[in-house]
Amino acid sequence: MTVPAEITAGSTLQWIEPPGTDPAGDAATSASWTLTITFRTNTAGEGATVTGTARADGGWDVALSAAVTGAWDAGTWYWQRKITSGSDVVVNGSGTTTVVALLNYTGDPTAFDGRSQAEKDLDSVQAAIRSLVSKNAKQYSIGSRSYTSQDLGQLMQREAQLKAIVARERAAERVAQGLGDPMNMFVRFG
């Protein structure tokens, strides 16, 4: 499967999908099978299905147009790869891809918050801790939950969880950008 790990909304993408395997375990090529890849996310009314075009090597050329990806919301999208031939249907791959917002604008740019949900939550928890610690507040609300000064331990525990989540997200971003995993340590003896 070669579905891109990251897609920028509003961009055109092209890639090659290799031949699949039929129910008997034989090669399922574009000569007699049709490839479709369906994309969905956790937003009602959002999704797309793209059909591959046959290649001479038995694989498929796949293209997502800017018109299709232009309406996609940033976040995690799920995809499923399916090949069909007559009444035979084989699902032979699925996964996730991250859709990144396109930063184009016309006129004056509006506010853009590119932080992950974990980063937003971490900032909120740290603001609540600061407020409670400074004794300016006996109670603090985040969304529909209220915290009192006795809940400071819970807030600090949640802060530690969110810091770990944000650190993992940033490490994954570095790996995706080809900058290496900051958690890998190499030792040279000489």
Side-chain angles (χ1 to χ4, degrees), residues 1 23 26 40 59-60 66 68 71 73 100 113 142 153 157 163:
M1 287 13 93
D26 297 324
R40 304 266 313 268
W60 294 269
V68 170
D73 289 338
V100 178
D113 190 351
I142 299 175
Q157 183 179 15
K163 282 182 176 179

Side-chain angles (χ1 to χ4, degrees), residues 12-143:
T12 300
L13 291 101
Q14 295 179 335
W15 69 93
I16 298 170
E17 286 287 336
T21 307
D22 69 11
D26 297 324
T29 67
S30 58
S32 56
W33 290 79
T34 301
L35 168 83
T36 57
I37 302 174
T38 302
F39 294 88
R40 304 266 313 268
T41 190
N42 192 19
T43 303
E46 294 228 14
T49 299
V50 61
T51 302
T53 56
R55 293 176 49 87
D57 64 3
W60 294 269
D61 285 319
V62 181
L64 279 171
S65 70
V68 170
T69 64
W72 288 11
D73 289 338
T76 301
W77 280 66
Y78 303 88
W79 58 266
Q80 190 172 64
R81 181 182 193 260
K82 179 173 61 174
I83 55 173
T84 57
S85 179
S87 62
D88 291 331
V89 177
V90 179
V91 175
N92 61 356
S94 62
T96 61
T97 187
T98 301
V99 174
V100 178
L102 185 64
L103 299 181
N104 286 358
Y105 65 91
T106 56
D108 291 331
T110 58
F112 175 76
D113 190 351
R115 297 176 297 165
S116 71
Q117 189 60 49
E119 290 171 318
K120 293 174 188 175
D121 291 348
L122 177 59
D123 287 347
S124 295
V125 167
Q126 288 175 333
I129 290 171
R130 278 192 301 275
S131 179
L132 289 173
V133 169
S134 69
K135 300 295 182 195
N136 290 339
K138 298 285 184 210
Q139 185 173 351
Y140 192 88
S141 295
I142 299 175

